[in-house]
Amino acid sequence: MLGRAVQVLSEKKEPFLGLIITISNHYPFPVPVDSVDTYPRPVLAPSKSPFDPSRTVPWGFYPHFIQTVHYADEALGMFFEEASARPWFRHTLFVLFGDH
């Protein structure tokens, strides 16, 4: 989505206002099947559900949450890398915020 956002913003007449909202690090923590999780996750006891609160780490979903935060961080880095090559980048104000 962020890669597409750079393309869409580049097609806009300046000045423009863009708003991008990502929610990949919210339950049920969807990440693309081809994403690479390089963040080491703790080993968990077997469970029927990855969100089982009886898992051996605090919050049964913790490793899945961490994976999506890592994914969002990488995607944001790629967004800024690609956007920095665009003419509008040098005079654009980027505001990043959490949803809570």
Side-chain angles (χ1 to χ4, degrees):
M1 181 181 89
L2 292 173
R4 176 78 174 120
V6 171
Q7 295 171 358
V8 170
L9 294 174
S10 295
E11 296 169 0
K12 300 297 178 192
K13 180 182 176 196
E14 295 183 49
F16 61 82
L17 171 69
L19 174 65
I20 305 166
I21 300 175
T22 65
I23 59 169
S24 64
N25 61 338
H26 277 275
Y27 178 84
F29 313 111
V31 295
V33 294
D34 63 344
S35 68
V36 177
D37 181 14
T38 58
Y39 190 86
R41 290 192 259 167
V43 176
L44 302 174
S47 174
K48 293 179 183 175
S49 167
F51 309 108
D52 181 349
S54 68
R55 308 280 308 246
T56 58
V57 294
W59 314 349
F61 59 81
Y62 176 78
H64 303 281
F65 171 73
I66 291 296
Q67 179 185 13
T68 58
V69 169
H70 185 255
Y71 171 75
D73 181 62
E74 281 190 321
L76 192 58
M78 291 167 51
F79 168 81
F80 278 109
E81 184 177 330
E82 190 172 334
S84 67
R86 306 299 172 121
W88 47 264
F89 181 82
R90 288 186 166 273
H91 55 272
T92 298
L93 173 65
F94 295 91
V95 179
L96 307 175
F97 57 92
D99 65 338
H100 296 279

